[in-house]
Amino acid sequence: MLIYILLGISALFLTILLIKSLLKIKKICVICSSIFLTWIFLLILFYLDKFTNKIIISLLLGMSITGIYYLVEKNVNKKLTIFRLPFILTLIAFGYFIITLNLLFNSIIFLVFLWLIFLFLYFFKENPKLKSFSNKLVECCRNW
């Protein structure tokens, strides 16, 4: 089954690349589009009971989550990078929900609480007692 998925992603890649070239579209990542369309198609088949491999769907969805994370981080104001952790955890929870259709109340409460803590830190980041910690949150992924 994996070989068919790899072949499908490759075929989509070449097709989207051709369309992108013909239409002179610049703001599309061909790999991201190919991966996205593949897991969406597989997810639809999964819900129609025509495909049962949640692992490959999860792997491809995880790649899209990572891509969204990096795209947002690259294009967002640097002051907002303090929200990295709640943002990626929210994307993970959303991905989990897409695959399982199971909305876990305790996870939602945790994410809301986490966002509130980070919003508090963001609005009070200039407070001398919080500034060092806020800076560490922003610099968490630098120089490693």
Side-chain angles (χ1 to χ4, degrees):
M1 181 60 65
L2 181 60
I3 187 66
Y4 297 119
I5 293 167
L6 298 176
L7 287 168
I9 291 170
S10 299
L12 278 171
F13 177 84
L14 294 173
T15 303
I16 296 168
L17 186 63
L18 179 65
I19 293 168
K20 182 180 174 180
S21 298
L22 291 174
L23 298 178
K24 301 195 182 343
I25 301 170
K26 295 184 186 217
K27 293 266 182 176
I28 275 187
C29 172
V30 177
I31 291 176
C32 296
S33 302
S34 302
I35 299 292
F36 172 78
L37 290 172
T38 301
W39 71 256
I40 286 289
F41 178 71
L42 293 175
L43 192 63
I44 291 168
L45 290 178
F46 175 76
Y47 288 129
L48 295 173
D49 289 326
K50 304 291 184 198
F51 185 79
T52 59
N53 191 337
K54 282 187 187 180
I55 294 171
I56 192 67
I57 297 170
S58 300
L59 288 168
L60 297 173
L61 178 58
M63 293 178 75
S64 292
I65 287 170
T66 304
I68 291 167
Y69 173 81
Y70 284 126
L71 179 68
V72 169
E73 185 174 90
K74 184 172 110 175
N75 292 304
V76 74
N77 183 315
K78 293 299 177 203
K79 292 179 183 177
L80 296 177
T81 57
I82 193 170
F83 296 107
R84 284 181 179 127
L85 180 64
F87 179 65
I88 198 152
L89 293 181
T90 301
L91 289 174
I92 291 168
F94 181 70
Y96 180 83
F97 171 73
I98 287 174
I99 292 173
T100 65
L101 294 180
N102 186 3
L103 200 56
L104 301 175
F105 185 71
N106 56 355
S107 298
I108 293 170
I109 296 299
F110 172 75
L111 287 171
V112 168
F113 183 68
L114 189 65
W115 275 102
L116 289 173
I117 289 170
F118 277 72
L119 281 167
F120 174 81
L121 291 170
Y122 176 75
F123 287 118
F124 295 99
K125 66 181 174 264
E126 296 304 319
N127 179 307
K129 294 180 181 178
L130 296 175
K131 189 169 188 159
S132 175
F133 184 68
S134 295
N135 286 340
K136 286 181 174 130
L137 289 173
V138 170
E139 297 172 2
C140 72
C141 298
R142 291 187 197 155
N143 301 324
W144 52 275

